[in-house]
Amino acid sequence: MDVAPDIDSLAGESVAVIGGGFGGLSTACYLADAGADVTLLEKNEQLGGRASRLEAEGFRFDMGPSWYLMPDVFERFFGHFDRAPSDYYTLSRLDPHYRVFWKDGDSVDVLPDLEANKELFESYEPGAAEALERYLEKSERNYEVGMEHFVYEDRPNLRDYVDLDVLRHSWGLSLLGTMQGHVENYFEHPKLQQLMQYTLVFLGGSPTNTPALYNLMSHVDFNMGVYYPDGGLGAVVDGVVDLGAELGVEYVTDAEVTAIEGRRGGFALDAANGERHLADMVVSDADYAHTEQALLPPEKRQYTEAYWESRTYAPSAFLIYLGVEGDLPELAHHTLVLPTEWQSHFDTIFEDPGWPEDPAYYLCVPSETDETVAPEGHSNLFALVPIAPGLDDTPEMRERFRDLVLDDIAENAGTDLRDRIVFEETFCVSDFADRYNSYQGSALGLAHTLRQTALLRPPHHSEAVDGLYFTGSTTTPGIGVPMCLISGQLTAERVSETH
């Protein structure tokens, strides 16, 4: 059951929001709706954070997020303001949801038809159709209970978990163990295990370090559907920005904040352009580590540099944005290319960081669905390879890895792009660090490991600076566009509780 956020009136309060990613945009909407005077300061030339857009030579690319999952979260977000997503953008349900190529020559399509997917699973393993049904029943329960009582309801302290209500709701949830162990209880075939675990890429983890609770993502995938917002994820950014403007949010781009001074009732934010912005309260959607280590003096930081160095970070990414001549019939809108044994790729991210020699990767071809993202007679494609954060991505390494990826696509996805490319740009570790101030150049932030979930993630409010708050993927509930929208609600609630 949807419950409206408990946000008291903030009339007369001024709030500066640092960063225009989905967490900052969402927080700004909730605070403005509660009556606050909200100004959002964005470092870059456009809003959206990691959901930036690249436009060149008639091509338009979503630079970051490209999957529209968990439509209920978007409906609930806009619904709080008596709007609907359809007031701002339209959705197309994808068929297939996605295509998978394995590097042994095998391929499958996952469809918006559960019975067809059950037949697919049964073809790999006797009894797998029934196992899929049981797995999704468990996943659905985890989703419904987990979202309502552990995602939308922030529990920042241990005492918040030690009560009968929490115990009642958590009974039977997959709170212990890893995704690898959980999936092995249902499926033996490694390819079926991979199909149930590929969504971990969106959580920034691996099968062996992500809590089993995140099997709830299979309910999102198989039962709720995969959609495309016409115009791309950038259209969703525009929708949230427009909503904020209607609520009174003021947006300032090209306004990189370089220092946070003061406390509740008397903050001053210095910007790189020489301007100074005053506010009663501050919410940072900038990278959490960057905010503390670069914008605050040592005595006002909650965490040391050693703390941030000790964390487990989600992967960075090697991205190639390509404009190519002709169609790409071998590829679906979303395509995954996977080694039949993928643990070595995860090892190069989390255990022994390096550039993978046999990478798992994702291909997005939005021009399969949306003709506006490429000139006539051309296709829009980007390839994303998860890699370890902190790697040295020299021009020579980028060139070598670019050739490796294009060769791999030709060999394993049946699509030779090399003589058809008319536009090309790469984005990698150093770009994430430079453009988004991302710690170690992570593409996503803190991974969802057993030790970095729920109350073990950094809090929404600073314990060192009265009136300073945080939102976005490093806080709860975590990584992904839907989670960042929810983080905005949770941050606004915390502001309301403590102002």
mmCIF file of all heavy atoms in Angstrom, residues 385-413:
data_model
loop_
_atom_site.group_PDB
_atom_site.id
_atom_site.type_symbol
_atom_site.label_atom_id
_atom_site.label_comp_id
_atom_site.label_asym_id
_atom_site.label_seq_id
_atom_site.Cartn_x
_atom_site.Cartn_y
_atom_site.Cartn_z
ATOM 1 N N VAL A 385 31.284 -1.999 -20.849
ATOM 2 C CA VAL A 385 32.021 -3.099 -20.236
ATOM 3 C C VAL A 385 32.299 -2.727 -18.788
ATOM 4 O O VAL A 385 33.027 -1.755 -18.525
ATOM 5 C CB VAL A 385 33.358 -3.370 -20.950
ATOM 6 C CG1 VAL A 385 34.010 -4.633 -20.371
ATOM 7 C CG2 VAL A 385 33.160 -3.507 -22.448
ATOM 8 N N PRO A 386 31.725 -3.444 -17.804
ATOM 9 C CA PRO A 386 32.073 -3.157 -16.404
ATOM 10 C C PRO A 386 33.545 -3.479 -16.154
ATOM 11 O O PRO A 386 34.032 -4.537 -16.552
ATOM 12 C CB PRO A 386 31.170 -4.104 -15.605
ATOM 13 C CG PRO A 386 30.096 -4.536 -16.555
ATOM 14 C CD PRO A 386 30.734 -4.527 -17.915
ATOM 15 N N ILE A 387 34.249 -2.544 -15.543
ATOM 16 C CA ILE A 387 35.662 -2.746 -15.206
ATOM 17 C C ILE A 387 35.895 -2.244 -13.789
ATOM 18 O O ILE A 387 35.062 -1.540 -13.214
ATOM 19 C CB ILE A 387 36.615 -2.034 -16.191
ATOM 20 C CG1 ILE A 387 36.358 -0.519 -16.188
ATOM 21 C CG2 ILE A 387 36.463 -2.597 -17.601
ATOM 22 C CD1 ILE A 387 37.352 0.281 -17.012
ATOM 23 N N ALA A 388 37.038 -2.575 -13.232
ATOM 24 C CA ALA A 388 37.359 -2.171 -11.866
ATOM 25 C C ALA A 388 37.508 -0.657 -11.776
ATOM 26 O O ALA A 388 38.082 -0.027 -12.667
ATOM 27 C CB ALA A 388 38.641 -2.851 -11.408
ATOM 28 N N PRO A 389 37.004 -0.047 -10.695
ATOM 29 C CA PRO A 389 37.282 1.373 -10.490
ATOM 30 C C PRO A 389 38.758 1.568 -10.188
ATOM 31 O O PRO A 389 39.455 0.651 -9.738
ATOM 32 C CB PRO A 389 36.414 1.724 -9.270
ATOM 33 C CG PRO A 389 36.252 0.424 -8.535
ATOM 34 C CD PRO A 389 36.227 -0.636 -9.593
ATOM 35 N N GLY A 390 39.245 2.771 -10.476
ATOM 36 C CA GLY A 390 40.623 3.091 -10.150
ATOM 37 C C GLY A 390 41.657 2.664 -11.176
ATOM 38 O O GLY A 390 42.851 2.930 -11.000
ATOM 39 N N LEU A 391 41.234 2.002 -12.262
ATOM 40 C CA LEU A 391 42.198 1.594 -13.279
ATOM 41 C C LEU A 391 42.751 2.812 -14.017
ATOM 42 O O LEU A 391 42.079 3.840 -14.149
ATOM 43 C CB LEU A 391 41.547 0.645 -14.295
ATOM 44 C CG LEU A 391 41.103 -0.729 -13.797
ATOM 45 C CD1 LEU A 391 40.530 -1.532 -14.966
ATOM 46 C CD2 LEU A 391 42.246 -1.486 -13.137
ATOM 47 N N ASP A 392 43.952 2.680 -14.521
ATOM 48 C CA ASP A 392 44.591 3.738 -15.301
ATOM 49 C C ASP A 392 44.159 3.583 -16.754
ATOM 50 O O ASP A 392 44.588 2.664 -17.456
ATOM 51 C CB ASP A 392 46.110 3.612 -15.162
ATOM 52 C CG ASP A 392 46.837 4.795 -15.784
ATOM 53 O OD1 ASP A 392 46.171 5.793 -16.113
ATOM 54 O OD2 ASP A 392 48.069 4.706 -15.933
ATOM 55 N N ASP A 393 43.305 4.493 -17.217
ATOM 56 C CA ASP A 393 42.786 4.370 -18.587
ATOM 57 C C ASP A 393 43.499 5.342 -19.518
ATOM 58 O O ASP A 393 42.959 6.350 -19.946
ATOM 59 C CB ASP A 393 41.258 4.542 -18.632
ATOM 60 C CG ASP A 393 40.810 5.931 -18.202
ATOM 61 O OD1 ASP A 393 41.428 6.499 -17.284
ATOM 62 O OD2 ASP A 393 39.842 6.459 -18.779
ATOM 63 N N THR A 394 44.720 5.012 -19.842
ATOM 64 C CA THR A 394 45.512 5.832 -20.763
ATOM 65 C C THR A 394 44.922 5.772 -22.169
ATOM 66 O O THR A 394 44.180 4.833 -22.503
ATOM 67 C CB THR A 394 46.953 5.324 -20.812
ATOM 68 O OG1 THR A 394 46.943 3.991 -21.332
ATOM 69 C CG2 THR A 394 47.584 5.319 -19.432
ATOM 70 N N PRO A 395 45.244 6.737 -23.032
ATOM 71 C CA PRO A 395 44.775 6.670 -24.423
ATOM 72 C C PRO A 395 45.184 5.366 -25.108
ATOM 73 O O PRO A 395 44.402 4.802 -25.891
ATOM 74 C CB PRO A 395 45.440 7.877 -25.080
ATOM 75 C CG PRO A 395 45.636 8.841 -23.959
ATOM 76 C CD PRO A 395 45.950 8.000 -22.754
ATOM 77 N N GLU A 396 46.379 4.877 -24.812
ATOM 78 C CA GLU A 396 46.842 3.626 -25.423
ATOM 79 C C GLU A 396 46.004 2.448 -24.958
ATOM 80 O O GLU A 396 45.636 1.574 -25.757
ATOM 81 C CB GLU A 396 48.316 3.396 -25.079
ATOM 82 C CG GLU A 396 49.284 4.421 -25.664
ATOM 83 C CD GLU A 396 49.270 5.743 -24.920
ATOM 84 O OE1 GLU A 396 48.775 5.780 -23.760
ATOM 85 O OE2 GLU A 396 49.755 6.743 -25.493
ATOM 86 N N MET A 397 45.669 2.411 -23.647
ATOM 87 C CA MET A 397 44.852 1.313 -23.133
ATOM 88 C C MET A 397 43.437 1.378 -23.689
ATOM 89 O O MET A 397 42.838 0.368 -24.036
ATOM 90 C CB MET A 397 44.840 1.353 -21.608
ATOM 91 C CG MET A 397 43.967 0.254 -20.978
ATOM 92 S SD MET A 397 44.398 -1.416 -21.549
ATOM 93 C CE MET A 397 45.935 -1.655 -20.650
ATOM 94 N N ARG A 398 42.886 2.587 -23.782
ATOM 95 C CA ARG A 398 41.540 2.725 -24.354
ATOM 96 C C ARG A 398 41.510 2.206 -25.791
ATOM 97 O O ARG A 398 40.571 1.526 -26.197
ATOM 98 C CB ARG A 398 41.094 4.193 -24.324
ATOM 99 C CG ARG A 398 40.736 4.719 -22.963
ATOM 100 C CD ARG A 398 39.877 5.961 -23.113
ATOM 101 N NE ARG A 398 39.762 6.702 -21.866
ATOM 102 C CZ ARG A 398 38.832 7.614 -21.631
ATOM 103 N NH1 ARG A 398 37.940 7.914 -22.565
ATOM 104 N NH2 ARG A 398 38.780 8.259 -20.485
ATOM 105 N N GLU A 399 42.518 2.561 -26.567
ATOM 106 C CA GLU A 399 42.557 2.124 -27.958
ATOM 107 C C GLU A 399 42.661 0.609 -28.054
ATOM 108 O O GLU A 399 41.982 -0.025 -28.865
ATOM 109 C CB GLU A 399 43.729 2.796 -28.671
ATOM 110 C CG GLU A 399 43.804 2.498 -30.168
ATOM 111 C CD GLU A 399 42.639 3.071 -30.954
ATOM 112 O OE1 GLU A 399 42.001 4.022 -30.463
ATOM 113 O OE2 GLU A 399 42.362 2.562 -32.062
ATOM 114 N N ARG A 400 43.515 0.024 -27.216
ATOM 115 C CA ARG A 400 43.669 -1.432 -27.241
ATOM 116 C C ARG A 400 42.375 -2.122 -26.831
ATOM 117 O O ARG A 400 41.942 -3.086 -27.469
ATOM 118 C CB ARG A 400 44.794 -1.870 -26.292
ATOM 119 C CG ARG A 400 45.128 -3.357 -26.383
ATOM 120 C CD ARG A 400 46.138 -3.793 -25.353
ATOM 121 N NE ARG A 400 45.558 -3.978 -24.050
ATOM 122 C CZ ARG A 400 44.858 -5.071 -23.689
ATOM 123 N NH1 ARG A 400 44.635 -6.048 -24.552
ATOM 124 N NH2 ARG A 400 44.362 -5.182 -22.470
ATOM 125 N N PHE A 401 41.736 -1.605 -25.786
ATOM 126 C CA PHE A 401 40.519 -2.247 -25.302
ATOM 127 C C PHE A 401 39.355 -2.013 -26.260
ATOM 128 O O PHE A 401 38.510 -2.887 -26.451
ATOM 129 C CB PHE A 401 40.174 -1.743 -23.908
ATOM 130 C CG PHE A 401 39.293 -2.681 -23.134
ATOM 131 C CD1 PHE A 401 39.767 -3.923 -22.723
ATOM 132 C CD2 PHE A 401 37.982 -2.349 -22.821
ATOM 133 C CE1 PHE A 401 38.959 -4.799 -22.016
ATOM 134 C CE2 PHE A 401 37.173 -3.207 -22.113
ATOM 135 C CZ PHE A 401 37.664 -4.441 -21.709
ATOM 136 N N ARG A 402 39.326 -0.854 -26.881
ATOM 137 C CA ARG A 402 38.308 -0.568 -27.895
ATOM 138 C C ARG A 402 38.376 -1.603 -29.012
ATOM 139 O O ARG A 402 37.364 -2.161 -29.439
ATOM 140 C CB ARG A 402 38.532 0.837 -28.421
ATOM 141 C CG ARG A 402 37.638 1.244 -29.580
ATOM 142 C CD ARG A 402 38.398 1.262 -30.882
ATOM 143 N NE ARG A 402 37.631 1.877 -31.941
ATOM 144 C CZ ARG A 402 37.807 1.639 -33.230
ATOM 145 N NH1 ARG A 402 38.760 0.783 -33.636
ATOM 146 N NH2 ARG A 402 37.065 2.233 -34.143
ATOM 147 N N ASP A 403 39.576 -1.908 -29.498
ATOM 148 C CA ASP A 403 39.732 -2.896 -30.555
ATOM 149 C C ASP A 403 39.321 -4.288 -30.072
ATOM 150 O O ASP A 403 38.684 -5.050 -30.817
ATOM 151 C CB ASP A 403 41.187 -2.925 -31.045
ATOM 152 C CG ASP A 403 41.580 -1.658 -31.787
ATOM 153 O OD1 ASP A 403 40.676 -0.933 -32.243
ATOM 154 O OD2 ASP A 403 42.793 -1.389 -31.904
ATOM 155 N N LEU A 404 39.669 -4.610 -28.826
ATOM 156 C CA LEU A 404 39.285 -5.914 -28.275
ATOM 157 C C LEU A 404 37.765 -6.052 -28.244
ATOM 158 O O LEU A 404 37.214 -7.101 -28.613
ATOM 159 C CB LEU A 404 39.868 -6.064 -26.868
ATOM 160 C CG LEU A 404 39.646 -7.394 -26.123
ATOM 161 C CD1 LEU A 404 40.802 -7.645 -25.152
ATOM 162 C CD2 LEU A 404 38.328 -7.390 -25.343
ATOM 163 N N VAL A 405 37.069 -4.999 -27.803
ATOM 164 C CA VAL A 405 35.606 -5.061 -27.696
ATOM 165 C C VAL A 405 34.961 -5.168 -29.077
ATOM 166 O O VAL A 405 34.036 -5.974 -29.291
ATOM 167 C CB VAL A 405 35.073 -3.829 -26.934
ATOM 168 C CG1 VAL A 405 33.547 -3.764 -27.004
ATOM 169 C CG2 VAL A 405 35.526 -3.868 -25.473
ATOM 170 N N LEU A 406 35.422 -4.374 -30.037
ATOM 171 C CA LEU A 406 34.836 -4.447 -31.380
ATOM 172 C C LEU A 406 35.071 -5.814 -32.006
ATOM 173 O O LEU A 406 34.187 -6.364 -32.689
ATOM 174 C CB LEU A 406 35.421 -3.350 -32.263
ATOM 175 C CG LEU A 406 35.030 -1.912 -31.903
ATOM 176 C CD1 LEU A 406 35.683 -0.927 -32.872
ATOM 177 C CD2 LEU A 406 33.519 -1.729 -31.907
ATOM 178 N N ASP A 407 36.245 -6.401 -31.776
ATOM 179 C CA ASP A 407 36.517 -7.753 -32.269
ATOM 180 C C ASP A 407 35.580 -8.756 -31.607
ATOM 181 O O ASP A 407 35.069 -9.685 -32.259
ATOM 182 C CB ASP A 407 37.968 -8.152 -31.994
ATOM 183 C CG ASP A 407 38.964 -7.400 -32.871
ATOM 184 O OD1 ASP A 407 38.527 -6.788 -33.868
ATOM 185 O OD2 ASP A 407 40.170 -7.434 -32.550
ATOM 186 N N ASP A 408 35.353 -8.586 -30.306
ATOM 187 C CA ASP A 408 34.496 -9.508 -29.563
ATOM 188 C C ASP A 408 33.045 -9.423 -30.043
ATOM 189 O O ASP A 408 32.353 -10.438 -30.177
ATOM 190 C CB ASP A 408 34.572 -9.200 -28.069
ATOM 191 C CG ASP A 408 34.171 -10.385 -27.208
ATOM 192 O OD1 ASP A 408 32.953 -10.659 -27.089
ATOM 193 O OD2 ASP A 408 35.057 -11.050 -26.666
ATOM 194 N N ILE A 409 32.574 -8.200 -30.314
ATOM 195 C CA ILE A 409 31.204 -8.025 -30.829
ATOM 196 C C ILE A 409 31.059 -8.730 -32.176
ATOM 197 O O ILE A 409 30.056 -9.408 -32.443
ATOM 198 C CB ILE A 409 30.869 -6.524 -30.952
ATOM 199 C CG1 ILE A 409 30.794 -5.871 -29.575
ATOM 200 C CG2 ILE A 409 29.548 -6.327 -31.701
ATOM 201 C CD1 ILE A 409 30.684 -4.351 -29.619
ATOM 202 N N ALA A 410 32.048 -8.570 -33.029
ATOM 203 C CA ALA A 410 31.993 -9.212 -34.344
ATOM 204 C C ALA A 410 31.965 -10.728 -34.208
ATOM 205 O O ALA A 410 31.210 -11.418 -34.916
ATOM 206 C CB ALA A 410 33.195 -8.780 -35.182
ATOM 207 N N GLU A 411 32.760 -11.255 -33.289
ATOM 208 C CA GLU A 411 32.868 -12.705 -33.149
ATOM 209 C C GLU A 411 31.679 -13.323 -32.432
ATOM 210 O O GLU A 411 31.212 -14.400 -32.827
ATOM 211 C CB GLU A 411 34.143 -13.058 -32.382
ATOM 212 C CG GLU A 411 34.347 -14.558 -32.185
ATOM 213 C CD GLU A 411 35.639 -14.877 -31.480
ATOM 214 O OE1 GLU A 411 36.463 -13.955 -31.262
ATOM 215 O OE2 GLU A 411 35.852 -16.062 -31.126
ATOM 216 N N ASN A 412 31.147 -12.638 -31.406
ATOM 217 C CA ASN A 412 30.165 -13.275 -30.529
ATOM 218 C C ASN A 412 28.749 -12.715 -30.636
ATOM 219 O O ASN A 412 27.815 -13.327 -30.123
ATOM 220 C CB ASN A 412 30.639 -13.178 -29.074
ATOM 221 C CG ASN A 412 31.908 -13.966 -28.837
ATOM 222 O OD1 ASN A 412 31.934 -15.179 -28.997
ATOM 223 N ND2 ASN A 412 32.985 -13.274 -28.456
ATOM 224 N N ALA A 413 28.569 -11.560 -31.284
ATOM 225 C CA ALA A 413 27.227 -11.013 -31.476
ATOM 226 C C ALA A 413 26.873 -10.906 -32.958
ATOM 227 O O ALA A 413 25.850 -10.311 -33.303
ATOM 228 C CB ALA A 413 27.108 -9.642 -30.807
#
